[in-house]
Amino acid sequence: MNFHIITIFPNVFDSYLGDSIMKRAISEEKISVQFYNPRTVTKNKHNKVDDIPYGGGPGMVMMAEPIIELWETITKKTLLEKVPFTKKRRFKTIVLSPGGVGFDTQYAKTIVQKYTDIIIICGRYEGIDSRVIQITQAELVSIGNYVLTGGELAAMVIIDSMSRQIDGVLGNSNSREEDRISSHEMYTRPAELIHKGKKYHVPKVLMEGNHKLIDEWRKNH
Ligand code: ADE
């Protein structure tokens, strides 16, 4: 899966993508993540990427043209590129917005199955000129019922959640938690933990090795 992120703050992704499972997924070419900064393609003197909203109101709106230019570069250029994941390239464009459709694991799975390239446009300020959505036929997506200061964190959530749906990204194919009988309660050693004089035990059923009973217990916890 190729992730193409349009953002004016590409650096904020560095630490998360540079560590642990995401780092390995990139180095093993299970995923690629590329950044495109609207500031690099502005036509005005001060590299402005936002302007005041028509009709008035507080805040600034991200201008359409730099974003559309980058989007066209991505869709045209990557079609010519040879990359490891390519069958036929299929693009999906997402604009992150608190008012969008709710993102969940099922959404992540569907997108991973259907597309080879995800273009994620991160908004800042009050939003993005709506003509970006018309032209790119983007889907507005929200990661939850709260407002973030920008789409970058939401993009990171989406990259992480989609990546874990790709075979080989998680070290052990059995470790995709959402695909197995799951429990919110987990325990590891020691079997008996003492805190402030009180003993905390691991539920007996988990220690006894009867997998039928363990599955039953996990359904209810
Ligand atoms: N941008 C700001 N808040 C957001 C949210 N909850 N989901 C997606 N993008 C956002």
Side-chain angles (χ1 to χ4, degrees), residues 95-100 123 141-152 154-155 158:
V95 168
L96 293 168
S97 159
V141 174
S142 164
I143 63 157
N145 203 9
Y146 40 79
V147 180
L148 303 164
T149 46
E152 283 75 13
I158 287 176

Side-chain angles (χ1 to χ4, degrees), residues 25-65:
I26 293 167
S27 68
E28 291 180 356
E29 299 190 338
K30 302 278 191 263
I31 63 168
S32 76
V33 188
Q34 284 166 274
F35 297 95
Y36 309 82
N37 189 339
R39 257 188 232 294
T40 61
V41 293
T42 50
K43 304 274 186 286
N44 57 73
K45 224 169 60 192
H46 300 291
N47 294 337
K48 250 169 70 102
V49 290
D50 60 327
D51 212 330
I52 53 173
Y54 278 114
M60 302 291 268
V61 177
M62 287 184 75
M63 298 191 303
E65 284 152 303

Side-chain angles (χ1 to χ4, degrees), residues 180-216:
R180 59 170 192 244
I181 301 172
S182 184
S183 160
H184 298 297
E185 276 186 45
M186 290 286 191
Y187 300 88
T188 186
R189 279 182 276 192
E192 180 185 277
L193 186 138
I194 302 170
H195 178 69
K196 293 188 177 163
K198 193 175 164 199
K199 290 179 178 172
Y200 296 82
H201 292 280
V202 174
K204 233 169 126 214
V205 63
L206 300 180
M207 316 270 292
E208 288 171 344
N210 181 333
H211 289 285
K212 234 178 122 189
L213 289 180
I214 291 173
D215 284 352
E216 204 49 48

Side-chain angles (χ1 to χ4, degrees), residues 127-202:
I128 297 174
D129 188 314
S130 289
R131 289 165 294 188
V132 169
I133 293 137
Q134 288 167 29
I135 291 166
T136 64
Q137 300 195 349
E139 182 165 38
L140 292 173
V141 174
S142 164
I143 63 157
N145 203 9
Y146 40 79
V147 180
L148 303 164
T149 46
E152 283 75 13
L153 259 183
M156 207 56 259
V157 167
I158 287 176
I159 295 169
D160 182 304
S161 165
M162 286 187 180
S163 296
R164 59 187 282 116
Q165 300 304 328
I166 296 166
D167 286 341
V169 165
L170 299 179
N172 172 355
S173 61
N174 293 327
S175 60
R176 205 181 288 148
E177 191 179 323
E178 53 272 40
D179 292 343
R180 59 170 192 244
I181 301 172
S182 184
S183 160
H184 298 297
E185 276 186 45
M186 290 286 191
Y187 300 88
T188 186
R189 279 182 276 192
E192 180 185 277
L193 186 138
I194 302 170
H195 178 69
K196 293 188 177 163
K198 193 175 164 199
K199 290 179 178 172
Y200 296 82
H201 292 280
V202 174

Side-chain angles (χ1 to χ4, degrees), residues 1 90-92 110-118:
M1 174 65 74
R90 289 187 305 273
F91 288 93
K92 167 82 180 174
T110 307
I111 299 289
V112 165
Q113 278 164 13
K114 276 183 145 165
Y115 300 97
T116 60
D117 292 77
I118 317 290

